[in-house]
């Protein structure tokens, strides 16, 4: 798979098979995040890999899926849920650029996973206090994002923006996703 192909396929996935994500895939993704660039090389991020069946089960009610869709369509059913999560945490020494660091790290993680056939959903709509409590995240640390992981059980296709310019994603009768992206000419200016 070349890099462009990887980026085209590395979409958000919200339904998964029950196949376990191999621990080696998670370790490789986190190793790649470990050596990623960070502002001042501060390396202020920490990660919790949620992989045991009980821990993964406890995460499921603490995340919110697909705000743009009704829950019966966007929320995975019991046999469609992700089989692992990664929590992305900022420590107190995180500086002004730490959200950039988070972006670099999570993109590293999701592309690494996708290169091994594991799909993901970045999740910002999460129950932060409950997740911090359940997984022993220190009070002074900031839980910034969760990443749901699993073998995808649906397709997701990039499409052009409709004429009315709406950016929200939608599904077809098979609950396969379509994700509108702005045209290159509308977001890039060469000078
Ligand atoms: C910072 C961030 C937070 C997100 N939070 C959620 C979330 O809480 N729940 C969810 O279902 N999707 C979430 N998403 C996924 C976005 O909805 C998705 O990236 C967007 O619809 C575009 O789809 P694509 O990733 O396939 O390009 C999040 C994405 C990002 C980048």
């Amino acid at each position: 798979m070349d890099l462009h192909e990887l980026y085209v396929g590395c979409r958000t996935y919200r339904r998964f098979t029950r196949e376990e994500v191999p621990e080696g895939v998670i370790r490789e993704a986190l190793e790649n995040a470990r050596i990623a660039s960070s502002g001042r090389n501060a390396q202020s991020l920490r990660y919790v890999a949620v992989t045991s069946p009980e821990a993964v089960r406890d995460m499921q009610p603490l995340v919110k899926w697909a705000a743009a869709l009704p829950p019966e369509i966007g929320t995975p059913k019991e046999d469609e849920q992700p089989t692992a999560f990664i929590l992305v945490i900022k420590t107190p020494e995180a500086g002004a650029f730490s959200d950039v660091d988070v972006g670099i790290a999570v993109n590293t993680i999701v592309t690494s996973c996708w290169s091994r056939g594991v799909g993901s959903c970045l999740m910002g709509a999460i129950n932060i206090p409950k997740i911090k409590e359940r997984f022993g995240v220190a009070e002074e640390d900031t839980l910034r994002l969760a990443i749901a992981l699993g073998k995808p059980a649906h397709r997701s296709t990039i499409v052009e923006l409709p004429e009315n310019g709406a950016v929200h994603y939608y599904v077809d009768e098979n609950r396969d996703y379509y994700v509108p992206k702005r045209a290159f000419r509308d977001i890039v200016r060469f000078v």
Side-chain angles (χ1 to χ4, degrees), residues 11-12 14 64-66 121-125 145 156 169 179 181:
R11 307 260 56 79
T12 291
R14 296 191 176 88
K64 193 167 169 2
W65 297 89
C121 180
L122 295 174
M123 310 205 76
L145 277 177
S156 180
Y169 49 90
V179 189
K181 298 290 180 186

Side-chain angles (χ1 to χ4, degrees), residues 1 7 18 31 35 49 73 79 83 93 109 121 125 145 147 154 179:
M1 194 177 340
Y7 281 118
R18 296 306 296 156
E31 169 63 11
I35 59 171
I73 293 180
D79 60 349
T83 52
E93 61 268 22
I109 292 168
C121 180
L145 277 177
I147 308 173
H154 68 87
V179 189

Side-chain angles (χ1 to χ4, degrees), residues 15 20 30 41 88 93 95 114-115 123-124 126 148 172 185:
R15 296 198 312 281
E20 218 173 89
L30 290 170
N41 198 29
V88 182
E93 61 268 22
W114 183 243
S115 76
M123 310 205 76
I126 57 179
D172 63 15
R185 64 179 175 280

Side-chain angles (χ1 to χ4, degrees), residues 160-163 181-190:
E160 285 179 17
L161 245 59
E163 261 176 29
K181 298 290 180 186
R182 298 185 198 284
F184 189 93
R185 64 179 175 280
D186 293 337
I187 63 160
V188 181
R189 196 160 65 88
F190 284 83

Side-chain angles (χ1 to χ4, degrees), residues 37-40 42-45 47 88-108 122-124 128 142-146:
S37 299
S38 61
R40 293 180 294 111
Q43 305 166 67
S44 57
L45 304 183
Y47 307 93
V88 182
I89 293 158
K90 290 202 233 181
T91 50
E93 61 268 22
F97 283 104
S98 61
D99 255 0
V100 178
D101 297 347
V102 169
I104 292 169
V106 299
N107 199 51
T108 301
L122 295 174
M123 310 205 76
I128 290 172
T142 304
L143 172 59
R144 193 65 185 93
L145 277 177

